[in-house]
Amino acid sequence: MIRKSKLTDGTAAGQVGIKKKSKVPGVMITQFIETLPEGKSHPDFTRKPIALTIQEGKFAFFKAIVIGDPTPTVTWSRNNGDVSDTSRYQSKYDPTSNEHTFEMPNVAPDQADTYKCFATNEYGQAMVTVVLNVIEVGYKKDKAQQQAADTIAGDFKTVLKRKSKVRPKFEQPEKKEGEIDPKFWELLLSADKKDYERICAEFGVTDYRWMLKKLNEMKKEREEEQAQFVKSLSNLRPIQVNADGTASFEIDMDLIDQSSSIYLYKDGEMIPYTKELGDKLKHSLKQIGKRYIFSMRDLMPEDAGLYQLDVEDVNMFSTDFKIPMVDFLVKIQEVKAKEREDAIFECVLSNPFSKILWFGKNMPLEQGDKYDIEVSEDKLIHRLVVKDCMVADKGIYCACAGIKSCSAWLVIEADKDAQKGKKTARKTTRAGGSGQDLQKIAKEQQAKLEKEKEERKEQIKASEEATPPPAAPTNTPVVAGSTVSKPRVVNEPTITGSHPPVVEATTTGSSDETSKREAATDVRSGHSPEETSGGEMLNQPLAHAEPGITSGLSNIYALRGKSAELQVKMNIDSDATWFKDGKQLNSGAGITITKDGNSHELRIQSCSDDSSGVYQFTSGEHSTQGKVTVGDVPEFDPDDLHKFSKPVIVRAGQNAAFKMPFPPQESLEVNWFKDGTELKDGGGVNIVRERNHSRLLFRDCLRIDTGEIKIQLKNPFGAIEATSELIVLDRPGPPEGPVKTVETTSSIIEIKWNPPKDDGGSAVTNYIIERQQTGQSLWTKLGDISADKTSFRDRNVTHGKKYNYRICAENPEGISDALETAESIMAGIMILAGPPGAPKVVSASKTCINLTWTPPEDDKGVPIIGYQVEKRKKDTNQWIPLNAANEPIEDIKYAVKYISEGSEYEFRVTAINESGSGDPSPPSAMVCAKNPNMRPCFKDPEDFIVVRAGNSARVKICFEAEPPPQITWLKDDEQISAWINIINTEGTSQLVIPNSKRSDSAIYTIKAKNSVGEASFDIDLRVTDEPKAPGPVELEQTVHGKLVISWAPSPDQELDDRLCYMVSQHDSLNRVWKTIADRLFTNTYTASNILPGIEYHFRIYAKNDMGLSDPSPSPTWGININKVPVTSNGVISAEVSFERPPSILVPLKVHTPPKGYQLFMTCAVRGYPTPTVSWYLNDICINSDNNYYITNSFGVCSLYILRVRPKDSGEYKVVAVNSFGKAECSAKIFVRD
């Protein structure tokens, strides 16, 4: 057996079903109750499943996290299949991470689908969809299926022997009386239960119990037949028209044998098809996984009919394609809307249509938060409202009615006034519409349809009188095709269309015709001869006239207290008997039975509850029957009606509610209307229909929601309406413009405007006037005026100045948007200044031309506030302003900077006062944008430069000259060597020695020469290095208290004429070294204040521009200097030795200085002889790097960095070496950003 899957709504009976928004995009929430209890919440997703594309055979899974109180129950489903197979689908929950997992091990291609995750608790339901795509491995092809498809698409004649249970019209046998069309059962077998009543009414079947019993038997038989070829059937979607003008239906079908042949029928005739919708054939059948999609293009009226899909010889699906005879009288038009504004598409149809299809960007649109779909009472005017338009809503929108369609663009203009990053407020205005009076067009069309209906009635009546009636069949069940009468109600509804109306004999209030009936005072029953079985005209004369019923009875509705008539027509004059509920009736007791020839009539004088029942007419072997139901038109309680009629007044943003009680009745239809347009549940509208009352709720009302609210109650006996009004109070609209200038003088400006079109529901109390002077940004409030005045006199103005005004309307709800003047208004008449003097060129260069001018001789009595300068290039006619008129130059001089070198210009100046710009001055003389000729001169050059040997030497000299000079460099008045680079650029010249040596020290001369003159400059360049230490030091005392210190010269003395010496001293009383002589250019020095009994030490340093050399120590002078060595036992004692290897007394420390700060690192080293200390950064010696200042003062080794950089980070190491050994220490530096 095959079970058809069915999608069910998560809202239970009696629940509200309020749509809510989730913070997570793509999650749809339905809340079951209007107000949640405190502390409780509906379900929601904090993490939704993510779409997955995976290879066949892999492990696929979805994860989701949900919240809600009480804890929601999570379930999973798929659109096209079942997920109950635990071997393929597994649902898991991890309480530690609160994750719900849906797993599919060894995923297969047939599992590719759209999956849904539901989270449900007692207060609501949250739902999200996710797509699984499965990539098939390898190349798979079913040859049998391909051959079968090719057979159908190609040699179609070979399969024409197949037959459908629904026979073509030309093969249909003559239908027997009471026989039901096979099409009826085929449609029921594929339809949902909710469509049973409509199909029965269409085919005239009234015995529902018999129908359901037989249908269940047929379903069992059909499912047993289908099980031979199909594993499952689901998602049977009836045929419908798409946005692209095609029609299609869908079915999910899992075939047992993929090579099974698939056939398509239309009204019992087999139709060829292709696998893709193309140019070869009109029809196509496309397969996507288990889904089969039938499509049909180039739709025509003859495409209407019953379409069936069979597998082998078993029917799988049947759907009826109906094409209503309707067209567009007014098509939808292009709409241009601003961001956050509502957009409206409108159209008018040629015939009433309850619901047309709307598409946006090829996607179907439904009533909801984003869209409102409105239909007028006469079903002719249809509207689509796109609410709160965004830029993403831009695109093509389409309206489809039957096979007719029309489309138009929606263009969204971005709000230029919106602040960046902020969402603008929603606008209350609407854009679009047809631009025509749709109500007038609809009324004209309604009148035209009424006229056509009356003409058809006259034609039928004339045909009836001219054609003898045929024999009537015997009494049979009342079904489609049998001889039935047309139910009539006085003041019956208007039936419009291009074909004669056909009314079934079994209408009981469920069809559209019955729901449209109004209250009547007289009821008759009867059919014309043209409305007999099959709807054919039986106008052929009968050879043998036998008794028969030509117009029988049908079910009717009668108003209590009114009269009703039952009429039967025979083909010959014969006697008859009337029965009610099986009892014979006679004239009397409110019933009159009459006979007029072939016409028999039963009249009920005043209908009551006792009049209800089944009435039967019998004449010989022939009989017909119909049911009479007596009832009343719905009524309202007068108190409730009075209460409802009072207007509901709310403020913008608030909710508005209407409630109307009424007595409970059967078959009661409740509809709500706003300004004549029926309201649908969804979006900001919530409609609740209960047994004894109905409520209407508008959420977050806008001003445009103001209008007439109407409730309508309908039953088979008629309709009643009650009217109220919704008034939404809001701030008023802006005053109506334009702002008119009534009067302007040197001291007064009077303006006038019109009241706003929309006062916001409350009377305007006053207007607020503000003013802005032209050229300024500040708006100043001038005051408030009462609402009865729409003009204002500004007496505080200055002659010649221009002003802008804006007016706002105010009511109790707030202040409106402002109405501004389109142009500035000047106080008094315009007085312009005279022309200034012609501009004069003060100086000119290739980048700037300086101008000056004189003020106008006549300012006309109005002060000048500034000037505007214009330029004109030679050989052109265009004057280009150099400053805006609202940014005048206050001085009488100006530097023109935006010029092209070598071009010639002339300039003119205009004086500006409060009235504007006056006449321009005469133009200046033509001037060329180039530098003036000048003798070369050097700008702030350096005359002495010292460079360490081995480094590159760069001498950069800046100069000014016009025309550009010729540059020459000399070394000691001779030509420079070829390996010395000279780099000349505009305004600078640079001499570069890549790897300098001491021999490069010299006097370098730069010479600049042009046509105006020449100039030269000498630079003393010294290439040197750290000096070597002086030679041995000798001490000699020739005079008491003085000591002569002499030393051998440094080896660098002959190479560096700027070499000098420095002498340092420390004694036994003060062990601090101090400098006693500096910048000595000799090799001797006499130290004074040498005292006896004190030990003295001296150090001699060589010094040049690079710094100090290592010291040359002197012998010790002082205590026991002349003492004779003491002998002990004839043995001379050994001298004490101070020699030792280097050692680290205080190591380096780790530093983390910020970028750009100074850094000072120290460590202490000892050893004798004095060790040589070297610094390393990341094992690279930095002693000669100028970026580091390194000193060694008596064993205290220091490194100083003025501003640390990121590249100074690393490991710093100090290495001390002497003849006895080596010592080292290290630390890391981290430079912070």
Side-chain angles (χ1 to χ4, degrees):
M1 301 297 287
I2 298 173
R3 308 189 71 176
K4 299 183 181 179
S5 63
K6 182 179 179 182
L7 299 177
T8 58
D9 190 3
T11 305
Q15 293 177 338
V16 177
I18 302 172
K19 302 298 181 182
K20 293 289 185 179
K21 288 186 179 180
S22 173
K23 294 182 180 179
V24 178
V27 176
M28 293 176 285
I29 298 176
T30 303
Q31 183 175 306
F32 295 159
I33 61 176
E34 290 189 6
T35 305
L36 292 173
E38 186 175 358
K40 302 298 180 180
S41 63
H42 56 67
D44 197 0
F45 285 81
T46 59
R47 174 183 173 184
K48 68 176 184 179
I50 300 175
L52 178 64
T53 299
I54 195 169
Q55 185 175 321
E56 175 185 0
K58 299 293 184 179
F59 180 79
F61 63 91
F62 296 122
K63 287 186 177 181
I65 299 177
V66 300
I67 57 173
D69 189 8
T71 303
T73 302
V74 176
T75 58
W76 299 80
S77 69
R78 57 179 290 188
N79 275 1
N80 305 313
D82 192 11
V83 295
S84 59
D85 188 354
T86 56
S87 63
R88 307 186 73 189
Y89 304 98
Q90 298 176 6
S91 299
K92 296 181 180 180
Y93 173 65
D94 185 356
T96 57
S97 61
N98 198 27
E99 286 184 340
H100 295 266
T101 308
F102 186 65
E103 299 178 351
M104 289 166 278
N106 194 20
V107 68
D110 62 350
Q111 290 176 281
D113 202 350
T114 299
Y115 289 79
K116 294 182 180 180
C117 182
F118 297 90
T120 310
N121 65 10
E122 61 184 281
Y123 299 114
Q125 181 187 77
M127 188 270 286
V128 65
T129 60
V130 61
V131 177
L132 172 64
N133 297 313
V134 180
I135 303 173
E136 297 189 35
V137 179
Y139 179 71
K140 300 178 180 179
K141 184 176 182 181
D142 192 337
K143 295 183 178 179
Q145 183 179 6
Q146 179 69 24
Q147 292 173 358
D150 293 342
T151 300
I152 295 176
D155 190 8
F156 186 66
K157 295 181 180 180
T158 60
V159 294
L160 288 179
K161 297 180 180 180
R162 290 190 39 78
K163 299 292 184 181
S164 170
K165 293 185 179 181
V166 177
R167 310 306 301 148
K169 291 182 180 180
F170 60 86
E171 295 183 10
Q172 288 181 359
E174 185 176 353
K175 190 185 303 182
K176 298 180 180 179
E177 186 174 343
E179 183 181 356
I180 298 178
D181 193 339
K183 178 179 177 181
F184 169 74
W185 298 111
E186 293 297 328
L187 289 176
L188 282 180
L189 286 170
S190 299
D192 289 335
K193 290 183 179 180
K194 61 182 178 64
D195 296 325
Y196 285 178
E197 186 177 354
R198 175 184 58 81
I199 297 174
C200 288
E202 182 179 345
F203 286 86
V205 175
T206 58
D207 192 342
Y208 290 102
R209 290 187 179 182
W210 168 79
M211 179 273 294
L212 291 175
K213 182 178 179 181
K214 186 171 181 180
L215 179 63
N216 289 333
E217 294 174 355
M218 297 180 69
K219 276 190 175 182
K220 290 179 181 180
E221 295 176 3
R222 180 63 58 85
E223 288 174 354
E224 290 175 356
E225 295 174 354
Q226 292 174 343
Q228 301 176 19
F229 303 100
V230 180
K231 296 178 183 178
S232 64
L233 281 176
S234 61
N235 290 338
L236 309 179
R237 300 183 181 179
I239 193 167
Q240 62 180 6
V241 179
N242 303 319
D244 57 358
T246 63
S248 64
F249 67 81
E250 300 179 9
I251 178 174
D252 287 358
M253 182 169 58
D254 189 3
L255 296 176
I256 296 176
D257 185 1
Q258 296 298 324
S259 62
S260 299
S261 298
I262 300 176
Y263 303 96
L264 285 173
Y265 296 90
K266 175 183 178 291
D267 292 333
E269 297 183 33
M270 187 180 295
I271 56 176
Y273 63 87
T274 59
K275 288 190 174 182
E276 295 290 341
L277 192 63
D279 297 332
K280 292 183 179 181
L281 293 177
K282 181 182 182 71
H283 308 92
S284 70
L285 184 64
K286 183 177 180 182
Q287 180 182 359
I288 304 175
K290 296 181 181 179
R291 178 174 297 178
Y292 292 82
I293 304 173
F294 169 79
S295 299
M296 177 170 51
R297 64 182 179 88
D298 301 333
L299 298 179
M300 299 295 289
E302 53 267 23
D303 292 326
L306 177 69
Y307 288 83
Q308 294 176 284
L309 184 144
D310 288 12
V311 175
E312 297 298 345
D313 58 348
V314 178
N315 177 257
M316 298 294 165
F317 181 57
S318 300
T319 179
D320 195 13
F321 185 32
K322 296 182 178 180
I323 299 180
M325 302 302 294
V326 65
D327 202 350
F328 288 90
L329 297 180
V330 177
K331 297 183 178 181
I332 61 175
Q333 304 295 322
E334 178 179 314
V335 178
K336 293 184 179 179
K338 294 184 178 179
E339 193 173 3
R340 304 226 66 190
E341 191 176 31
D342 291 353
I344 300 179
F345 292 97
E346 295 179 323
C347 61
V348 179
L349 304 182
S350 60
N351 286 304
F353 208 67
S354 59
K355 182 181 180 182
I356 68 173
L357 300 178
W358 291 95
F359 297 88
K361 295 180 280 189
N362 288 330
M363 297 297 292
L365 307 180
E366 297 293 340
Q367 176 80 21
D369 294 338
K370 184 64 179 176
Y371 305 100
D372 275 343
I373 297 176
E374 302 174 354
V375 184
S376 63
E377 285 189 79
D378 55 15
K379 311 293 185 186
L380 292 178
I381 303 175
H382 295 255
R383 293 186 181 89
L384 170 68
V385 181
V386 184
K387 297 184 285 188
D388 194 9
C389 292
M390 296 296 179
V391 177
D393 297 324
K394 177 182 177 181
I396 297 177
Y397 287 74
C398 177
C400 294
I403 62 173
K404 301 292 184 178
S405 65
C406 58
S407 59
W409 269 92
L410 171 59
V411 181
I412 306 298
E413 298 178 0
D415 193 347
K416 299 180 180 179
D417 299 331
Q419 298 182 8
K420 189 174 183 181
K422 292 185 178 180
K423 193 174 182 180
T424 58
R426 182 177 175 187
K427 296 179 174 58
T428 59
T429 56
R430 287 187 172 186
S434 63
Q436 304 182 44
D437 189 350
L438 301 188
Q439 295 291 343
K440 181 180 179 181
I441 297 175
K443 287 182 179 179
E444 292 176 353
Q445 182 65 14
Q446 187 74 17
K448 180 180 177 182
L449 295 174
E450 286 282 354
K451 183 178 179 181
E452 292 178 355
K453 175 193 168 187
E454 294 298 329
E455 291 176 353
R456 285 197 299 272
K457 285 184 177 181
E458 293 295 332
Q459 293 174 0
I460 292 172
K461 185 176 180 181
S463 176
E464 178 181 316
E465 295 174 352
T467 305
T474 58
N475 189 24
T476 58
V478 183
V479 295
S482 62
T483 306
V484 294
S485 63
K486 172 184 173 184
R488 295 181 56 213
V489 180
V490 177
N491 294 334
E492 64 182 353
T494 301
I495 303 173
T496 60
S498 58
H499 297 287
V502 179
V503 182
E504 308 297 344
T506 58
T507 50
T508 59
S510 62
S511 68
D512 291 340
E513 311 293 347
T514 305
S515 63
K516 295 178 181 178
R517 294 191 176 103
E518 303 294 337
T521 58
D522 196 14
V523 180
R524 294 181 180 270
S525 174
H527 263 308
S528 65
E530 290 77 11
E531 296 173 304
T532 56
S533 175
E536 298 179 355
M537 295 288 293
L538 303 180
N539 53 6
Q540 301 297 328
L542 297 176
H544 301 284
E546 296 181 359
I549 300 174
T550 60
S551 179
L553 300 176
S554 66
N555 298 338
I556 64 172
Y557 295 90
L559 288 176
R560 185 176 285 108
K562 302 296 182 179
S563 63
E565 291 181 0
L566 302 177
Q567 189 179 64
V568 178
K569 290 185 179 181
M570 303 288 291
N571 60 342
I572 61 176
D573 188 358
S574 62
D575 295 330
T577 307
W578 291 85
F579 297 88
K580 175 180 179 294
D581 296 333
K583 296 181 181 180
Q584 184 174 348
L585 296 177
N586 296 309
S587 295
I591 296 178
T592 302
I593 298 176
T594 60
K595 175 178 175 294
D596 182 11
N598 299 346
S599 178
H600 299 260
E601 183 178 282
L602 183 148
R603 179 179 180 85
I604 304 173
Q605 303 296 336
S606 178
C607 294
S608 63
D609 292 339
D610 295 336
S611 303
S612 298
V614 177
Y615 289 78
Q616 185 176 10
F617 174 88
T618 303
S619 177
E621 297 180 354
H622 303 282
S623 68
T624 180
Q625 66 180 19
K627 183 179 181 181
V628 176
T629 304
V630 179
D632 292 318
V633 177
E635 294 182 352
F636 292 120
D637 183 85
D639 294 337
D640 294 334
L641 185 61
H642 176 71
K643 183 177 179 181
F644 180 81
S645 63
K646 294 181 179 179
V648 174
I649 303 174
V650 296
R651 287 186 169 86
Q654 295 180 342
N655 297 341
F658 295 85
K659 181 178 179 182
M660 188 63 183
F662 45 78
Q665 293 184 19
E666 296 295 332
S667 304
L668 186 64
E669 180 183 349
V670 182
N671 295 313
W672 290 87
F673 298 87
K674 176 183 173 293
D675 294 332
T677 301
E678 184 176 355
L679 297 175
K680 302 293 184 181
D681 194 5
V685 178
N686 183 22
I687 299 175
V688 178
R689 296 177 176 90
E690 299 293 346
R691 188 167 178 270
N692 59 350
H693 73 276
S694 180
R695 297 194 305 272
L696 171 65
L697 175 65
F698 289 91
R699 292 192 181 91
D700 303 327
C701 292
L702 301 174
R703 176 61 182 163
I704 57 175
D705 293 327
T706 299
E708 181 188 70
I709 304 299
K710 182 170 63 177
I711 183 174
Q712 182 187 71
L713 304 183
K714 280 186 180 181
N715 67 4
F717 305 97
I720 189 172
E721 296 177 348
T723 304
S724 183
E725 186 177 4
L726 172 60
I727 300 175
V728 181
L729 303 180
D730 199 357
R731 61 193 184 104
E736 284 294 299
V739 179
K740 297 180 180 179
T741 304
V742 179
E743 180 184 4
T744 173
T745 65
S746 59
S747 58
I748 293 176
I749 294 179
E750 184 177 357
I751 57 176
K752 185 179 181 181
W753 62 93
N754 295 318
K757 284 186 178 179
D758 181 13
D759 61 2
S762 301
V764 175
T765 57
N766 59 282
Y767 295 99
I768 301 173
I769 315 299
E770 294 180 312
R771 185 185 73 183
Q772 178 196 56
Q773 185 175 331
T774 302
Q776 299 181 1
S777 59
L778 179 65
W779 285 90
T780 304
K781 182 177 179 180
L782 300 180
D784 297 346
I785 63 173
S786 59
D788 57 344
K789 295 182 179 180
T790 57
S791 63
F792 179 77
R793 292 174 67 90
D794 185 6
R795 301 179 181 274
N796 186 20
V797 295
T798 303
H799 180 256
K801 290 188 177 181
K802 294 183 178 180
Y803 300 92
N804 298 316
Y805 294 89
R806 65 184 183 190
I807 305 100
C808 300
E810 184 176 9
N811 69 1
E813 303 303 318
I815 300 174
S816 72
D817 295 335
L819 167 67
E820 294 189 23
T821 52
E823 296 179 353
S824 300
I825 303 174
M826 175 181 289
I829 60 174
M830 183 177 294
I831 301 177
L832 301 178
K840 295 181 180 180
V841 178
V842 178
S843 63
S845 67
K846 63 182 180 181
T847 58
C848 180
I849 298 175
N850 291 296
L851 304 174
T852 185
W853 59 87
T854 57
E857 296 181 358
D858 183 11
D859 60 7
K860 308 293 180 65
V862 180
I864 293 175
I865 59 177
Y867 300 90
Q868 184 181 40
V869 180
E870 297 174 291
K871 70 176 180 181
R872 185 182 70 85
K873 199 173 183 178
K874 188 177 181 181
D875 299 328
T876 64
N877 296 324
Q878 183 180 9
W879 286 93
I880 301 174
L882 301 179
N883 63 295
N886 57 356
E887 297 176 0
I889 301 169
E890 298 180 359
D891 205 349
I892 56 173
K893 59 183 179 180
Y894 186 68
V896 183
K897 295 184 178 180
Y898 298 102
I899 53 178
S900 300
E901 181 180 0
S903 299
E904 294 186 58
Y905 297 91
E906 64 177 351
F907 304 89
R908 70 182 186 185
V909 182
T910 303
I912 301 174
N913 59 16
E914 295 294 344
S915 298
S917 301
D919 296 330
S921 68
S924 67
M926 195 70 70
V927 57
C928 183
K930 67 175 184 177
N931 293 333
N933 293 339
M934 63 179 297
R935 182 175 177 273
C937 64
F938 300 101
K939 298 189 293 184
D940 302 325
E942 295 183 15
D943 58 357
F944 182 75
I945 299 174
V946 178
V947 180
R948 186 188 296 272
N951 292 348
S952 63
R954 292 177 180 270
V955 182
K956 184 177 180 180
I957 302 296
C958 297
F959 60 86
E960 290 181 349
E962 186 65 31
Q966 180 183 0
I967 303 298
T968 305
W969 284 87
L970 302 175
K971 177 183 178 183
D972 293 334
D973 296 330
E974 296 181 358
Q975 293 293 326
I976 59 175
S977 302
W979 56 272
I980 298 178
N981 298 326
I982 304 298
I983 303 173
N984 293 324
T985 58
E986 183 179 358
T988 62
S989 181
Q990 189 171 203
L991 179 143
V992 181
I993 304 175
N995 190 9
S996 60
K997 299 174 291 185
R998 286 181 180 271
S999 59
D1000 292 323
S1001 297
I1003 302 297
Y1004 288 86
T1005 303
I1006 180 174
K1007 292 186 177 180
K1009 181 179 180 181
N1010 65 4
S1011 58
V1012 181
E1014 65 177 312
S1016 63
F1017 185 77
D1018 295 335
I1019 303 100
D1020 186 359
L1021 176 64
R1022 294 284 177 159
V1023 181
T1024 182
D1025 206 344
E1026 292 181 355
K1028 297 179 180 178
V1033 182
E1034 297 180 357
L1035 303 178
E1036 182 181 2
Q1037 188 173 22
T1038 56
V1039 179
H1040 179 73
K1042 293 187 178 183
L1043 187 64
V1044 177
I1045 307 168
S1046 60
W1047 59 89
S1050 168
D1052 293 333
Q1053 183 171 327
E1054 296 180 356
L1055 301 175
D1056 192 348
D1057 58 354
R1058 293 174 63 85
L1059 183 77
C1060 58
Y1061 299 94
M1062 185 180 74
V1063 181
S1064 297
Q1065 165 194 319
H1066 89 79
D1067 52 44
S1068 57
L1069 295 179
N1070 187 1
R1071 294 188 177 275
V1072 177
W1073 289 93
K1074 62 180 180 180
T1075 301
I1076 61 174
D1078 197 1
R1079 296 189 62 80
L1080 299 176
F1081 290 92
T1082 62
N1083 300 111
T1084 61
Y1085 177 72
T1086 301
S1088 57
N1089 297 325
I1090 304 301
L1091 302 177
I1094 300 176
E1095 184 178 289
Y1096 292 91
H1097 298 270
F1098 299 93
R1099 288 178 178 175
I1100 310 301
Y1101 297 88
K1103 184 179 180 182
N1104 64 6
D1105 295 313
M1106 289 280 87
L1108 298 176
S1109 69
D1110 294 333
S1112 294
S1114 69
T1116 303
W1117 180 270
I1119 299 176
N1120 300 326
I1121 191 63
N1122 297 323
K1123 184 177 181 180
V1124 178
V1126 179
T1127 61
S1128 176
N1129 300 325
V1131 180
I1132 301 175
S1133 62
E1135 294 182 356
V1136 178
S1137 175
F1138 293 94
E1139 296 177 339
R1140 63 176 64 188
S1143 61
I1144 304 297
L1145 297 180
V1146 179
L1148 296 172
K1149 295 182 180 179
V1150 176
H1151 295 267
T1152 58
K1155 178 182 175 182
Y1157 281 63
Q1158 63 182 359
L1159 174 65
F1160 192 80
M1161 300 176 62
T1162 60
C1163 67
V1165 180
R1166 76 175 179 179
Y1168 195 83
T1170 303
T1172 302
V1173 178
S1174 300
W1175 288 78
Y1176 294 86
L1177 170 59
N1178 297 329
D1179 296 328
I1180 299 175
C1181 183
I1182 59 174
N1183 280 22
S1184 60
D1185 195 334
N1186 290 337
N1187 293 316
Y1188 306 92
Y1189 183 73
I1190 301 172
T1191 60
N1192 184 357
S1193 179
F1194 309 112
V1196 178
C1197 303
S1198 304
L1199 180 142
Y1200 177 73
I1201 305 176
L1202 180 60
R1203 291 184 178 87
V1204 295
R1205 300 160 295 176
K1207 68 179 184 178
D1208 292 328
S1209 299
E1211 183 181 20
Y1212 286 77
K1213 182 166 63 176
V1214 174
V1215 180
V1217 181
N1218 67 5
S1219 57
F1220 290 91
K1222 174 182 175 183
E1224 65 182 37
C1225 67
S1226 63
K1228 289 187 176 181
I1229 302 299
F1230 302 94
V1231 179
R1232 293 180 284 122
D1233 291 332

